[in-house]
């Protein structure tokens, strides 16, 4: 999101899932909130893969340091999302989900 390499849909998708995640943490007794957060995380895994693969520049020799850092953080975020999905699923199970 730092250098506008990805479209606005990348930022909107990830920030909206972050907002739902905050809601899921605040509402400790809500099973719907944690389920929406888990669904949003799984959906953003798919959309992040699409965004990175479509908008990755074909000639990466001329990337600035900021763009290289931005792409690296997007890939790092994508790699951490399965771990987040697992932890959110454990929270779902603790709250009584099946």
């Amino acid at each position: 999101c730092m250098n506008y390499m990805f479209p606005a849909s990348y930022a909107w998708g990830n920030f909206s899932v972050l907002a739902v995640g905050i809601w899921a943490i605040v509402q400790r007794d809500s099973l719907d909130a944690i389920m929406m957060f888990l669904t949003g995380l799984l959906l953003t895994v798919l959309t992040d893969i699409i965004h990175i693969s479509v908008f990755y520049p074909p000639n990466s020799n001329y990337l600035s340091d900021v763009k290289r850092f931005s792409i690296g953080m997007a890939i790092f975020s994508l790699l951490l999302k399965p771990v987040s999905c697992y932890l959110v699923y454990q929270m779902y199970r603790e709250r009584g989900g099946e």
Side-chain angles (χ1 to χ4, degrees), residues 7-43:
S9 60
Y10 178 79
W12 278 103
N14 284 310
F15 289 143
S16 61
V17 169
L18 180 65
V20 172
I22 291 171
W23 174 51
I25 291 171
V26 170
Q27 294 285 332
R28 295 225 174 239
D29 57 343
S30 176
L31 213 58
D32 293 335
I34 198 77
M35 193 62 192
M36 284 179 61
F37 184 42
L38 182 60
T39 305
L41 273 175
L42 291 172
L43 187 65

Side-chain angles (χ1 to χ4, degrees), residues 19-92:
V20 172
I22 291 171
W23 174 51
I25 291 171
V26 170
Q27 294 285 332
R28 295 225 174 239
D29 57 343
S30 176
L31 213 58
D32 293 335
I34 198 77
M35 193 62 192
M36 284 179 61
F37 184 42
L38 182 60
T39 305
L41 273 175
L42 291 172
L43 187 65
T44 56
V45 167
L46 179 65
T47 59
D48 285 358
I49 291 170
I50 293 170
H51 278 111
I52 291 171
S53 63
V54 168
F55 293 102
Y56 193 83
N59 191 358
S60 59
N61 293 334
Y62 301 108
L63 285 177
S64 67
D65 291 338
V66 175
K67 288 184 179 183
R68 189 170 290 137
F69 178 77
S70 179
I71 291 172
M73 288 297 108
I75 293 171
F76 185 64
S77 171
L78 178 62
L79 291 175
L80 285 180
K81 281 189 182 179
V83 175
S84 299
C85 288
Y86 176 74
L87 294 174
V88 170
Y89 180 71
Q90 290 300 322
M91 287 174 56
Y92 174 72

